[in-house]
């Protein structure tokens, strides 16, 4: 049984591998970017707008409001990173309704890459907000003995993020595969629907956790 | 194999590229559009507020103008009423004066007419009386009235009192020395001679005496010299009749005072 979509390799040369994870990610990227370009070209400032623009505005403002509720008041600074994180995870999990599709988030490499992105985003945004000195000082607060604990916390947080998302998505896919083997009719449909819900919730949780980490660091 | 380093790095790069692309083509345009729309709506609300304020100001200005106009209209109306009343009073006074004037003129006209009529009546009465007397004397006594009148006049000259003569001489001295005898009828030569003789005998003067016929003289003869006059006529006898007729006419012609409306 294939646990990760990384194992489905289309092309390999030396250490370069073109596996299903990368291909599906590119597909999703292409879909999202083309859709964004098409819609953003027809944006209207007037009060009477098209439905697609209205839906997109609702999604974007919803993400912005969530970021602000977490405590990041300069939401426009963070929405590029956090919004992309949420939309990528959401679209990746939404497409599980397609028959042969496996979400790239069920690959530990992808979730680890996303977690590492968050890992680096936290200090980058913190430094942009407060400067590098204040950021470094935050590691020795309230007392210098807390420095190793802060460092461990950074890494464990990143690891927890990566494994949580990977575990949830991979488990959904594996359970679905097992159920298809056992009962190929009713249960897979139910589990697919359940997987949609789980994927949406996980994408929300991942984004919120990333926002909380950034906010906690930025507001210290 | 759960973890692949190449895939990890590729996904990291993919995600960063995607984040940059979405920020450029999705989040920024949409947030800018929303900001522009909010700004536009805020401007519209501000303009609406301004318009409302302006409309309120206009309304208040209009109300003030309307109040001023109403007040001015009332003042003009009251002034017009006052002017009309004043004009009415003025016209009433003027009308009253005109009515009074007309009444006076009418009264004067009536009085003049009355006088004319009275004069005419008196003249006709005298003529009729004179004619009746002449006829009566002629019929009853075969006497000529003119002869009798000349006789009476001569008697009057003959019976002049010394005082009267004195006054006559005084008047004669102040005049050009001419004596005029006036009568309403032509005196016959015999009567003229008799009168001349009577004057000569009684007044003892030798002056030229002129005789003149005056139809307006009511049935009489008069001697005029300077400012002195010796006369006889039936006018004295007609005076009583004239007085009664005048009283009768005055009673009929007196106009009541007109009642002029206030």
């Amino acid at each position: 049984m294939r646990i990760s979509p990384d194992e489905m390799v289309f092309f390999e040369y030396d250490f370069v591998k073109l596996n299903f994870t990368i291909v599906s990610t590119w597909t999703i990227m292409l879909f999202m970017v083309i859709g964004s370009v098409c819609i953003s070209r027809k944006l209207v400032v007037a009060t009477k707008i098209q439905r697609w623009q209205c839906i997109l505005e609702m999604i974007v403002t919803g993400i912005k409001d969530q970021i602000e509720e977490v405590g990041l008041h300069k939401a426009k600074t963070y929405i590029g990173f956090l919004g992309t994180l949420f939309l990528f995870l959401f679209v990746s999990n939404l497409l599980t309704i397609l028959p042969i599709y496996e979400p790239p988030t069920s690959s530990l490499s992808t979730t680890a890459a996303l977690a590492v992105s968050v890992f680096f985003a936290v200090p980058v945004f913190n430094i942009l907000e407060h400067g590098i000195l204040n950021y470094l000082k935050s590691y020795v607060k309230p007392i210098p003995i807390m420095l190793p604990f802060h460092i461990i916390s950074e890494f464990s947080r990143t690891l927890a993020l990566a494994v949580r998302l990977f575990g949830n998505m991979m488990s959904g896919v594996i359970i679905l595969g097992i159920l298809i083997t056992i009962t190929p009719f009713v249960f897979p449909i139910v589990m697919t629907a359940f997987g949609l819900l789980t994927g949406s919730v996980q994408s929300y949780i991942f984004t919120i956790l990333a926002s909380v980490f950034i906010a906690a660091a930025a507001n210290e | 194999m759960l973890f692949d380093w190449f895939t990890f790095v590729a996904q990291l790069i993919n995600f960063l590229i995607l984040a940059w692309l979405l920020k450029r083509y999705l989040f920024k345009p949409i947030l800018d559009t929303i900001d522009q729309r909010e700004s536009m709506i805020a401007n519209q609300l501000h303009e609406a507020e301004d318009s409302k304020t302006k409309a309120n100001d206009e309304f208040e200005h209009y109300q003030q103008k309307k109040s001023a106009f109403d007040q001015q209209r009332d003042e003009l109306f009251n002034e017009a009423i006052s002017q009309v009343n004043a004009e009415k009073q003025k016209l009433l006074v003027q009308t009253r004066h005109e009515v009074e004037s007309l009444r006076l003129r009418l009264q004067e006209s009536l009085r003049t007419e009355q006088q004319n009529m009275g004069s005419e009546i008196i003249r006709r009465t005298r003529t009729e009386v004179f004619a009746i007397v002449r006829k009566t004397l002629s019929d009853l006594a075969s006497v000529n009235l003119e002869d009798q009148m000349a006789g009476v006049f001569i008697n009057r000259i003959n019976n002049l009192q010394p005082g009267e003569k004195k006054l006559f001489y005084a008047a004669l001295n102040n005049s050009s020395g001419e004596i005029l005898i006036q009568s309403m009828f032509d005196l016959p030569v015999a009567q003229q001679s008799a009168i001349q003789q009577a004057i000569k005998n009684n007044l003892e003067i030798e002056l030229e005496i002129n005789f003149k016929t005056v139809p307006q003289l009511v049935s009489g003869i008069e001697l005029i010299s300077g400012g002195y006059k010796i006369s006889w006529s039936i006018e004295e006898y007609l005076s009583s009749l004239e007085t009664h007729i005048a009283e009768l006419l005055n009673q009929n012609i007196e106009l009541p005072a007109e009642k002029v409306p206030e």
Side-chain angles (χ1 to χ4, degrees):
Chain A
M1 183 180 211
R2 192 177 68 244
I3 294 174
S4 171
D6 293 356
E7 296 171 14
M8 188 188 288
V9 179
F10 297 110
F11 174 78
E12 186 171 6
Y13 178 77
D14 201 1
F15 67 92
V16 177
K17 290 180 198 169
L18 193 62
N19 54 31
F20 189 84
T21 305
I22 295 173
V23 171
S24 61
T25 303
W26 284 351
T27 310
I28 292 166
M29 284 171 67
L30 202 64
F31 170 71
M32 290 174 72
V33 171
I34 290 173
S36 300
V37 170
C38 289
I39 292 169
S40 62
R41 275 184 181 175
K42 297 177 182 176
L43 288 176
V44 180
V45 179
T47 49
K48 190 173 183 180
I49 55 175
Q50 290 183 340
R51 291 176 185 174
W52 280 110
Q53 183 182 343
C54 184
I55 291 168
L56 265 185
E57 284 185 4
M58 286 170 67
I59 292 168
V60 172
T61 49
I63 293 169
K64 182 168 166 281
D65 291 344
Q66 285 294 323
I67 292 169
E68 284 175 346
E69 281 181 14
V70 167
L72 295 168
H73 300 296
K74 294 178 181 176
K76 280 188 178 178
T77 309
Y78 306 102
I79 196 169
F81 179 78
L82 296 171
T84 305
L85 196 61
F86 173 76
L87 287 180
F88 175 69
L89 293 173
F90 184 75
V91 173
S92 299
N93 297 330
L94 188 71
L95 292 177
T96 51
I97 54 171
L98 297 175
I100 58 165
Y101 175 80
E102 280 187 38
T105 46
S106 61
S107 157
L108 184 60
S109 306
T110 305
T111 56
L114 296 177
V116 167
S117 299
V118 174
F119 174 76
F120 284 107
V122 170
V124 167
F125 283 123
N126 199 347
I127 289 167
L128 286 175
E129 187 77 19
H130 300 293
I132 191 162
L133 280 175
N134 287 326
Y135 169 69
L136 292 175
K137 280 179 186 174
S138 68
Y139 278 92
V140 292
K141 285 181 180 176
I143 50 173
I145 202 169
M146 294 297 289
L147 178 64
F149 297 103
H150 279 302
I151 293 170
I152 292 168
S153 166
E154 292 289 329
F155 282 101
S156 64
R157 193 164 60 196
T158 306
L159 187 65
L161 268 178
V163 173
R164 177 188 289 117
L165 183 62
F166 165 70
N168 277 295
M169 300 315 297
M170 186 203 66
S171 64
V173 174
I174 288 173
I175 289 168
L176 189 64
I178 293 167
L179 284 173
I180 287 171
T181 310
I182 300 169
T183 54
F185 291 109
V186 180
F187 275 108
I189 298 169
V190 175
M191 284 307 295
T192 303
F194 187 67
L196 277 177
L197 179 65
T198 312
S200 304
V201 171
Q202 286 304 317
S203 58
Y204 176 73
I205 288 171
F206 194 94
T207 309
I208 287 295
L209 281 174
S211 306
V212 168
F213 295 152
I214 293 169
N219 294 332
E220 274 182 359
Chain B
M1 188 172 61
L2 285 176
F3 192 81
D4 181 61
W5 280 103
F6 177 76
T7 310
F8 167 75
V9 173
Q11 289 295 76
L12 189 62
I13 294 167
N14 283 340
F15 176 73
L16 292 176
I17 291 170
L18 181 65
W20 182 78
L21 287 173
L22 286 190
K23 185 176 183 182
R24 186 164 181 345
Y25 292 110
L26 183 68
F27 295 114
K28 192 170 183 301
I30 287 179
L31 288 174
D32 286 348
T33 304
I34 291 170
D35 287 346
Q36 286 176 16
R37 187 181 301 126
E38 285 178 350
S39 174
M40 185 186 74
I41 291 169
N43 284 336
Q44 286 177 347
L45 287 172
H46 187 67
E47 286 174 4
E49 191 66 29
D50 285 349
S51 298
K52 190 179 173 185
T53 308
K54 194 176 175 185
N56 282 334
D57 291 345
E58 290 279 335
F59 180 73
E60 285 179 8
H61 180 63
Y62 170 75
Q63 286 286 358
Q64 286 176 353
K65 281 182 80 174
K66 185 173 176 293
S67 301
F69 174 74
D70 288 344
Q71 189 178 356
Q72 190 180 7
R73 186 195 62 189
D74 292 342
E75 286 174 0
L76 286 173
F77 191 67
N78 291 332
E79 189 181 349
I81 288 174
S82 302
Q83 284 181 354
V84 166
N85 285 333
E87 188 68 19
K88 180 184 165 188
Q89 289 298 326
K90 185 180 166 187
L91 289 174
L92 276 174
V93 170
Q94 189 177 349
T95 307
R96 197 176 291 130
H97 288 161
E98 284 180 4
V99 167
E100 185 66 18
S101 172
L102 282 173
R103 194 177 69 81
L104 290 174
R105 280 170 61 190
L106 179 62
Q107 211 166 22
E108 186 62 30
S109 173
L110 286 172
R111 190 172 289 114
T112 306
E113 191 179 349
Q114 173 197 357
Q115 285 174 352
N116 292 338
M117 189 178 285
S119 300
E120 181 65 19
I121 289 169
I122 289 164
R123 190 185 65 78
R124 287 192 182 183
T125 305
R126 283 173 180 173
T127 306
E128 289 299 320
V129 166
F130 190 71
I132 289 166
V133 169
R134 180 186 288 141
K135 180 78 174 164
T136 306
L137 284 174
S138 175
D139 290 347
L140 293 179
S142 299
V143 175
N144 187 285
L145 178 62
E146 283 79 10
D147 293 343
Q148 291 301 315
M149 285 172 66
V152 171
F153 183 68
I154 289 166
N155 281 337
R156 171 118 171 82
I157 291 171
N158 291 332
N159 294 325
L160 276 174
Q161 298 299 316
E164 289 174 332
K165 285 181 182 177
K166 195 176 179 181
L167 288 173
F168 174 78
Y169 291 136
L172 187 66
N173 288 331
N174 290 332
S175 69
S176 58
E178 187 184 38
I179 294 173
L180 176 65
I181 302 292
Q182 290 185 147
S183 62
M184 71 168 289
F185 51 88
D186 294 334
L187 285 169
V189 178
Q191 288 179 354
Q192 287 184 4
S193 299
I195 290 170
Q196 280 180 338
Q197 191 61 45
I199 291 169
K200 189 178 176 180
N201 294 334
N202 286 286
L203 298 176
E204 297 171 350
I205 51 173
E206 286 288 343
L207 288 174
E208 184 183 357
I209 297 170
N210 295 321
F211 290 90
K212 187 178 179 183
T213 303
V214 181
Q216 290 79 14
L217 198 64
V218 182
S219 185
I221 303 168
E222 59 187 17
L223 180 149
I224 296 170
S225 176
Y228 192 79
K229 186 169 78 175
I230 299 168
S231 65
W232 181 91
S233 73
I234 63 168
E235 190 171 2
E236 292 173 4
Y237 306 130
L238 294 174
S239 294
S240 176
L241 177 63
E242 189 178 320
T243 305
H244 289 301
I245 290 169
E247 284 176 359
L248 186 64
L249 286 173
N250 280 335
Q251 281 178 1
N252 291 334
I253 288 172
E254 275 298 330
L255 283 176
E258 294 254 351
K259 281 189 178 178
V260 180
E262 292 295 328

